Amino acid sequence: MKQPMILFALLVLCRCAVAQETIKQAPAGFDAIQASIPHGKIDSVMYPSKTVDNDRRMLIYTPPGYSKKKKYPVLYLLHGIGGDEKEWLNGGSPQVILDNLYKDKKVEPMIVVMPNGRAMKDDRAGGNVFEPARVEAFATFEKDLLTDLIPFVEKNYPVLTDREHRAIAGLSMGGGQSLNFGLGNLDKFAWVGGFSSAPNTKAPEVLIPDPAAVKAQLKLLWISCGDKDDLIRFSERTHDYLAQHDVPHIYYIEPGVHDFKVWKNGLYLFSQLIFKPVDLSAW
Protein backbone atom coordinates (compact mmCIF):
# COMPACT_ATOMS: atom_id res chain seq x y z
CA MET A 1 0.00 0.00 0.00
CA LYS A 2 1.26 3.46 -0.82
CA GLN A 3 2.48 5.61 2.05
CA PRO A 4 -0.03 8.47 1.40
CA MET A 5 -2.91 6.02 1.88
CA ILE A 6 -1.50 4.92 5.24
CA LEU A 7 -1.13 8.53 6.36
CA PHE A 8 -4.65 9.36 5.17
CA ALA A 9 -6.12 6.49 7.17
CA LEU A 10 -4.28 7.59 10.29
CA LEU A 11 -5.37 11.20 9.87
CA VAL A 12 -9.00 10.17 9.67
CA LEU A 13 -8.54 8.06 12.78
CA CYS A 14 -6.95 10.91 14.71
CA ARG A 15 -9.96 13.13 13.94
CA CYS A 16 -12.08 10.52 15.70
CA ALA A 17 -10.27 10.80 19.03
CA VAL A 18 -8.67 7.37 18.82
CA ALA A 19 -5.15 7.04 20.13
CA GLN A 20 -2.83 6.64 17.13
CA GLU A 21 -0.79 3.94 18.82
CA THR A 22 -3.88 1.72 18.99
CA ILE A 23 -4.31 1.74 15.22
CA LYS A 24 -2.02 -0.71 13.53
CA GLN A 25 -1.93 -4.15 12.04
CA ALA A 26 -2.56 -6.82 14.63
CA PRO A 27 0.73 -8.27 15.92
CA ALA A 28 1.94 -11.72 14.98
CA GLY A 29 0.20 -14.36 17.04
CA PHE A 30 -2.90 -12.27 17.80
CA ASP A 31 -5.06 -15.12 16.44
CA ALA A 32 -2.99 -18.02 17.80
CA ILE A 33 -4.33 -20.15 20.64
CA GLN A 34 -2.49 -19.65 23.93
CA ALA A 35 -3.14 -22.75 26.01
CA SER A 36 -1.95 -21.19 29.27
CA ILE A 37 -4.45 -18.30 29.40
CA PRO A 38 -8.12 -18.26 30.46
CA HIS A 39 -10.52 -19.00 27.62
CA GLY A 40 -14.05 -17.96 26.85
CA LYS A 41 -16.72 -20.40 25.75
CA ILE A 42 -18.70 -20.80 22.53
CA ASP A 43 -22.16 -22.39 22.61
CA SER A 44 -24.57 -23.19 19.79
CA VAL A 45 -28.04 -21.97 20.77
CA MET A 46 -31.48 -22.17 19.16
CA TYR A 47 -33.95 -19.28 19.42
CA PRO A 48 -37.55 -19.03 18.22
CA SER A 49 -38.11 -16.64 15.32
CA LYS A 50 -41.61 -15.36 14.62
CA THR A 51 -40.16 -13.54 11.63
CA VAL A 52 -39.11 -16.76 9.94
CA ASP A 53 -41.66 -18.99 11.75
CA ASN A 54 -38.89 -21.36 12.66
CA ASP A 55 -36.27 -22.04 15.32
CA ARG A 56 -32.95 -20.55 14.28
CA ARG A 57 -29.37 -21.23 15.33
CA MET A 58 -26.69 -18.84 16.59
CA LEU A 59 -23.33 -19.08 18.30
CA ILE A 60 -22.69 -17.20 21.53
CA TYR A 61 -19.25 -16.41 22.91
CA THR A 62 -19.04 -15.71 26.62
CA PRO A 63 -15.76 -14.24 27.89
CA PRO A 64 -13.21 -15.71 30.28
CA GLY A 65 -14.51 -15.44 33.85
CA TYR A 66 -18.10 -15.20 32.64
CA SER A 67 -20.60 -14.95 35.48
CA LYS A 68 -24.39 -14.89 35.36
CA LYS A 69 -24.25 -12.47 38.30
CA LYS A 70 -22.66 -9.79 36.12
CA LYS A 71 -24.24 -7.72 33.33
CA TYR A 72 -22.42 -7.57 29.98
CA PRO A 73 -22.59 -5.45 26.82
CA VAL A 74 -23.29 -7.34 23.59
CA LEU A 75 -21.65 -7.35 20.16
CA TYR A 76 -23.72 -8.81 17.33
CA LEU A 77 -21.18 -10.11 14.80
CA LEU A 78 -22.48 -10.87 11.31
CA HIS A 79 -21.19 -13.08 8.48
CA GLY A 80 -20.99 -12.78 4.69
CA ILE A 81 -23.26 -13.89 1.85
CA GLY A 82 -21.70 -17.34 1.54
CA GLY A 83 -21.53 -18.05 5.25
CA ASP A 84 -23.72 -18.81 8.22
CA GLU A 85 -23.46 -18.55 12.00
CA LYS A 86 -20.23 -20.59 11.87
CA GLU A 87 -18.37 -18.48 9.30
CA TRP A 88 -16.57 -16.29 11.83
CA LEU A 89 -15.76 -19.33 13.97
CA ASN A 90 -14.36 -21.33 11.05
CA GLY A 91 -12.52 -18.54 9.27
CA GLY A 92 -11.88 -15.80 11.81
CA SER A 93 -11.28 -17.45 15.19
CA PRO A 94 -12.99 -14.62 17.07
CA GLN A 95 -12.84 -16.53 20.35
CA VAL A 96 -9.06 -16.79 20.05
CA ILE A 97 -8.62 -13.13 19.12
CA LEU A 98 -10.78 -12.03 22.04
CA ASP A 99 -9.23 -14.46 24.54
CA ASN A 100 -5.82 -13.02 23.72
CA LEU A 101 -7.10 -9.45 24.03
CA TYR A 102 -8.65 -10.24 27.41
CA LYS A 103 -5.31 -11.61 28.57
CA ASP A 104 -3.74 -8.24 27.74
CA LYS A 105 -6.70 -6.33 29.26
CA LYS A 106 -7.40 -4.55 25.96
CA VAL A 107 -11.14 -5.21 25.65
CA GLU A 108 -14.16 -4.76 27.86
CA PRO A 109 -15.83 -8.03 28.92
CA MET A 110 -18.65 -8.63 26.44
CA ILE A 111 -20.92 -11.31 25.05
CA VAL A 112 -20.59 -11.87 21.30
CA VAL A 113 -23.57 -13.19 19.35
CA MET A 114 -22.93 -14.72 15.92
CA PRO A 115 -26.30 -15.35 14.27
CA ASN A 116 -27.31 -16.64 10.86
CA GLY A 117 -28.04 -13.44 8.94
CA ARG A 118 -29.95 -15.27 6.19
CA ALA A 119 -33.45 -15.02 7.65
CA MET A 120 -35.37 -17.77 5.86
CA LYS A 121 -36.46 -21.28 6.79
CA ASP A 122 -33.74 -22.94 4.71
CA ASP A 123 -30.93 -20.71 5.93
CA ARG A 124 -28.09 -23.07 5.09
CA ALA A 125 -25.00 -21.75 3.32
CA GLY A 126 -24.17 -23.20 -0.09
CA GLY A 127 -25.97 -23.49 -3.36
CA ASN A 128 -26.66 -20.32 -5.30
CA VAL A 129 -26.13 -17.72 -2.59
CA PHE A 130 -27.03 -14.95 -5.05
CA GLU A 131 -30.53 -16.30 -5.67
CA PRO A 132 -32.92 -13.33 -5.14
CA ALA A 133 -34.86 -14.96 -2.30
CA ARG A 134 -31.64 -15.79 -0.45
CA VAL A 135 -30.29 -12.27 -0.92
CA GLU A 136 -33.58 -10.78 0.27
CA ALA A 137 -33.34 -12.91 3.40
CA PHE A 138 -30.35 -10.81 4.50
CA ALA A 139 -32.61 -7.73 4.52
CA THR A 140 -35.36 -9.68 6.30
CA PHE A 141 -32.86 -10.41 9.07
CA GLU A 142 -33.29 -6.85 10.35
CA LYS A 143 -36.76 -7.73 11.65
CA ASP A 144 -35.56 -11.08 13.01
CA LEU A 145 -32.67 -9.36 14.79
CA LEU A 146 -34.76 -6.63 16.39
CA THR A 147 -37.94 -8.54 17.26
CA ASP A 148 -36.73 -12.09 17.86
CA LEU A 149 -32.99 -12.44 18.43
CA ILE A 150 -32.21 -9.45 20.64
CA PRO A 151 -35.20 -10.07 22.95
CA PHE A 152 -34.16 -13.73 23.27
CA VAL A 153 -30.60 -12.81 24.20
CA GLU A 154 -31.78 -10.22 26.71
CA LYS A 155 -34.19 -12.70 28.30
CA ASN A 156 -31.73 -15.57 28.58
CA TYR A 157 -28.35 -13.93 29.21
CA PRO A 158 -27.15 -11.35 31.76
CA VAL A 159 -26.78 -8.45 29.35
CA LEU A 160 -27.16 -4.70 29.56
CA THR A 161 -30.16 -3.72 27.46
CA ASP A 162 -29.59 -0.05 26.63
CA ARG A 163 -28.26 1.09 23.26
CA GLU A 164 -24.98 2.26 24.78
CA HIS A 165 -24.14 -1.36 25.54
CA ARG A 166 -25.15 -2.84 22.19
CA ALA A 167 -22.84 -3.01 19.15
CA ILE A 168 -23.20 -4.47 15.68
CA ALA A 169 -20.46 -5.28 13.17
CA GLY A 170 -19.88 -7.67 10.33
CA LEU A 171 -17.93 -8.68 7.25
CA SER A 172 -18.93 -8.17 3.61
CA MET A 173 -22.70 -8.79 3.38
CA GLY A 174 -22.73 -8.66 7.18
CA GLY A 175 -20.86 -5.36 7.02
CA GLY A 176 -23.62 -3.95 4.84
CA GLN A 177 -26.21 -5.33 7.24
CA SER A 178 -24.40 -3.77 10.19
CA LEU A 179 -24.32 -0.33 8.59
CA ASN A 180 -27.92 -0.61 7.37
CA PHE A 181 -29.34 -1.92 10.65
CA GLY A 182 -27.11 0.05 12.99
CA LEU A 183 -27.51 3.42 11.31
CA GLY A 184 -31.16 2.68 10.63
CA ASN A 185 -31.86 1.97 14.30
CA LEU A 186 -29.91 4.50 16.31
CA ASP A 187 -32.24 3.84 19.23
CA LYS A 188 -30.89 0.27 19.35
CA PHE A 189 -27.16 0.55 18.60
CA ALA A 190 -24.48 3.01 19.67
CA TRP A 191 -21.48 1.20 18.13
CA VAL A 192 -21.44 0.22 14.45
CA GLY A 193 -18.74 -1.41 12.32
CA GLY A 194 -18.57 -2.48 8.69
CA PHE A 195 -15.63 -4.59 7.49
CA SER A 196 -15.38 -4.66 3.65
CA SER A 197 -19.07 -3.87 3.37
CA ALA A 198 -20.82 -5.38 0.34
CA PRO A 199 -23.18 -3.90 -2.31
CA ASN A 200 -26.15 -4.44 0.02
CA THR A 201 -24.96 -1.33 1.86
CA LYS A 202 -27.59 1.34 1.25
CA ALA A 203 -26.65 4.48 -0.65
CA PRO A 204 -25.23 7.06 1.78
CA GLU A 205 -28.11 9.50 1.48
CA VAL A 206 -30.52 6.68 2.31
CA LEU A 207 -28.28 5.19 4.96
CA ILE A 208 -27.74 8.52 6.71
CA PRO A 209 -30.63 10.87 5.86
CA ASP A 210 -30.02 12.82 9.07
CA PRO A 211 -26.28 13.28 9.69
CA ALA A 212 -26.99 15.34 12.79
CA ALA A 213 -28.76 12.40 14.43
CA VAL A 214 -25.76 10.15 13.79
CA LYS A 215 -23.44 12.78 15.27
CA ALA A 216 -25.60 13.08 18.35
CA GLN A 217 -26.30 9.42 19.05
CA LEU A 218 -23.54 7.19 17.69
CA LYS A 219 -20.51 6.59 19.89
CA LEU A 220 -18.42 4.93 17.19
CA LEU A 221 -18.82 4.36 13.46
CA TRP A 222 -16.09 2.15 11.99
CA ILE A 223 -15.58 1.51 8.26
CA SER A 224 -12.62 -0.58 7.10
CA CYS A 225 -11.58 -2.37 3.93
CA GLY A 226 -8.60 -3.85 2.13
CA ASP A 227 -6.97 -1.53 -0.38
CA LYS A 228 -7.12 -4.19 -3.12
CA ASP A 229 -10.72 -5.21 -2.43
CA ASP A 230 -12.98 -4.91 -5.48
CA LEU A 231 -15.81 -3.80 -3.18
CA ILE A 232 -13.90 -0.89 -1.65
CA ARG A 233 -16.04 1.60 -3.56
CA PHE A 234 -18.98 0.94 -1.21
CA SER A 235 -16.91 1.79 1.86
CA GLU A 236 -15.40 4.76 0.04
CA ARG A 237 -18.72 6.31 -0.97
CA THR A 238 -20.01 6.00 2.59
CA HIS A 239 -16.85 7.59 3.94
CA ASP A 240 -17.01 10.43 1.39
CA TYR A 241 -20.59 11.22 2.40
CA LEU A 242 -19.75 11.14 6.09
CA ALA A 243 -16.75 13.40 5.56
CA GLN A 244 -18.84 15.79 3.47
CA HIS A 245 -21.35 16.09 6.30
CA ASP A 246 -18.69 16.17 9.01
CA VAL A 247 -19.89 13.00 10.72
CA PRO A 248 -17.12 11.60 12.96
CA HIS A 249 -16.07 8.10 11.98
CA ILE A 250 -13.06 5.86 11.52
CA TYR A 251 -12.20 5.04 7.91
CA TYR A 252 -9.40 2.50 7.98
CA ILE A 253 -7.87 1.23 4.74
CA GLU A 254 -5.29 -1.51 5.15
CA PRO A 255 -3.27 -3.73 2.81
CA GLY A 256 -5.40 -6.63 1.65
CA VAL A 257 -8.25 -8.05 -0.38
CA HIS A 258 -11.69 -9.43 0.45
CA ASP A 259 -10.68 -12.07 2.99
CA PHE A 260 -10.32 -12.99 6.63
CA LYS A 261 -6.90 -11.43 6.96
CA VAL A 262 -8.60 -8.04 6.71
CA TRP A 263 -11.71 -9.04 8.67
CA LYS A 264 -9.78 -10.50 11.58
CA ASN A 265 -7.73 -7.33 11.82
CA GLY A 266 -10.97 -5.35 11.72
CA LEU A 267 -12.37 -7.32 14.63
CA TYR A 268 -9.07 -7.02 16.53
CA LEU A 269 -9.16 -3.22 16.26
CA PHE A 270 -12.91 -2.60 16.52
CA SER A 271 -13.34 -4.77 19.62
CA GLN A 272 -10.76 -2.71 21.50
CA LEU A 273 -12.69 0.52 20.94
CA ILE A 274 -16.23 -0.42 21.90
CA PHE A 275 -17.95 -0.08 25.26
CA LYS A 276 -15.36 2.41 26.50
CA PRO A 277 -15.53 6.15 27.17
CA VAL A 278 -14.93 8.35 24.14
CA ASP A 279 -13.65 11.92 24.31
CA LEU A 280 -16.36 13.57 22.22
CA SER A 281 -14.71 16.99 22.44
CA ALA A 282 -11.85 15.72 20.28
CA TRP A 283 -14.12 14.45 17.49
Side-chain angles (χ1 to χ4, degrees), residues 132-268:
R134 292 166 70 79
V135 172
E136 181 61 28
F138 279 86
T140 304
F141 181 65
E142 179 174 10
K143 181 179 178 182
D144 181 62
L145 172 68
L146 298 176
T147 65
D148 299 314
L149 177 54
I150 290 177
F152 177 88
V153 170
E154 295 182 347
K155 180 180 179 181
N156 291 278
Y157 289 85
V159 300
L160 296 160
T161 59
D162 56 295
R163 59 179 297 277
E164 286 80 8
H165 293 95
R166 193 182 297 123
I168 187 168
L171 66 88
S172 193
M173 195 77 160
Q177 285 178 309
S178 296
L179 295 179
N180 293 344
F181 305 164
L183 292 170
N185 297 279
L186 294 174
D187 60 324
K188 303 294 185 184
F189 301 97
W191 315 83
V192 177
F195 314 146
S196 310
S197 299
N200 64 317
T201 309
K202 293 178 180 178
E205 60 274 11
V206 177
L207 189 64
I208 310 159
D210 185 358
V214 176
K215 289 183 188 181
Q217 297 183 64
L218 212 59
K219 290 187 174 295
L220 176 66
L221 176 53
W222 168 284
I223 298 171
S224 62
C225 196
D227 62 343
K228 298 296 191 297
D229 191 330
D230 291 340
L231 299 184
I232 193 172
R233 62 188 183 279
F234 298 102
S235 296
E236 187 175 42
R237 74 179 187 182
T238 304
H239 158 68
D240 288 345
Y241 181 90
L242 292 167
Q244 179 185 351
H245 291 84
D246 199 28
V247 177
H249 64 290
I250 294 176
Y251 182 54
Y252 185 68
I253 303 302
E254 61 181 284
V257 293
H258 200 73
D259 64 12
F260 263 107
K261 177 180 178 294
V262 170
W263 304 329
K264 288 196 291 184
N265 193 56
L267 176 62
Y268 173 83

Side-chain angles (χ1 to χ4, degrees), residues 47-56 116-123 136-151 181:
Y47 69 96
S49 171
K50 293 181 180 178
T51 300
V52 179
D53 191 25
N54 200 17
D55 287 346
R56 311 197 67 229
N116 187 320
R118 188 183 294 101
M120 59 193 304
K121 287 190 176 181
D122 183 5
D123 60 5
E136 181 61 28
F138 279 86
T140 304
F141 181 65
E142 179 174 10
K143 181 179 178 182
D144 181 62
L145 172 68
L146 298 176
T147 65
D148 299 314
L149 177 54
I150 290 177
F181 305 164

Side-chain angles (χ1 to χ4, degrees), residues 5-35:
M5 185 176 291
I6 297 175
L7 293 174
F8 175 71
L10 290 175
L11 285 170
V12 174
L13 290 163
C14 291
R15 288 182 60 221
C16 296
V18 180
Q20 184 167 326
E21 62 270 20
T22 302
I23 305 304
K24 57 188 177 184
Q25 290 290 302
F30 81 105
D31 56 351
I33 295 175
Q34 299 184 49

Side-chain angles (χ1 to χ4, degrees), residues 83-101:
D84 57 19
E85 72 279 359
K86 294 181 180 179
E87 183 176 29
W88 270 102
L89 178 66
N90 293 334
S93 304
Q95 78 284 13
V96 177
I97 294 171
L98 291 169
D99 284 350
N100 293 342
L101 285 170

